[in-house]
Amino acid sequence: MTVKLVNPNGLPQPDAYRQLSIATGSKLVFLAGQVARDAEGRKVGEGDFATQVEQCYLNIGTALSEIGGSFDDVAKLTIYVVDWNPEKMPLLGEGVARAASRLGVDPVKPITLLGVAALGEPDLLVEVEATAVID
C-alpha cells in the first residue's frame, strides 16, 4: 500500500479520520470534486444527504480504478457540505459506511470538512475531492 495512515502522539486520536497520511508512490493524483451523479450524469439521491455522500465516494473509487488504483490509495479527502450542521454527522457517517461496504475498503482518511453556502448545481448537497498516491 502506498498510503500509511497515522494518528501521532500529542494530537487528538479521532476514530472517524486520521491526522496524517504518509504517501510513497510514483503517481500523485488530484481528483476533481465528485458529486452525486452516475456514469451517465443522472442525479443520484436528490434531497438525500447520505445517498449523495455514498455516490461521491463510489465515484472516487471508480475514477481511481480506471487508472490502476483504488480508494485505498486516497491520501486526503476534502468534503464540502451545503449548510453544514452537526446534525448531519450521522448521515455523513451512514453514506461513508455504505460506500466503504460496497467498495470493500476502510474509508478512514485524513479529511477536511467544510460547510459551504452552495455548490455548482442547486440539487447538490455534498462534493468530495480526493488526493491519491499510486505506485
Side-chain angles (χ1 to χ4, degrees), residues 19-129:
Q19 298 284 5
L20 296 171
S21 66
I22 303 163
T24 55
S26 59
K27 189 184 303 183
L28 187 58
V29 180
F30 298 95
L31 184 60
Q34 296 300 298
V35 297
R37 299 285 186 266
D38 66 13
E40 287 76 40
R42 294 181 298 239
K43 298 175 185 177
V44 174
E46 191 164 4
D48 183 338
F49 181 65
T51 297
Q52 288 198 17
V53 169
E54 178 183 10
Q55 187 65 44
C56 292
Y57 273 61
L58 293 174
N59 288 350
I60 291 168
T62 297
L64 292 173
S65 71
E66 285 294 309
I67 60 169
S70 76
F71 196 92
D72 285 329
D73 297 312
V74 171
K76 170 92 170 58
L77 296 168
T78 303
I79 304 173
Y80 303 89
V81 179
V82 174
D83 298 324
W84 172 256
N85 63 62
E87 290 78 38
K88 290 184 179 180
M89 186 60 83
L91 294 172
L92 176 65
E94 179 185 328
V96 169
R98 289 194 321 230
S101 177
R102 290 180 63 186
L103 292 168
V105 300
D106 179 354
V108 176
K109 306 288 182 181
I111 66 167
T112 299
L113 177 64
L114 300 167
V116 297
L119 293 169
E121 298 174 45
D123 63 308
L124 298 175
L125 304 174
V126 61
E127 183 167 337
V128 183
E129 66 181 22

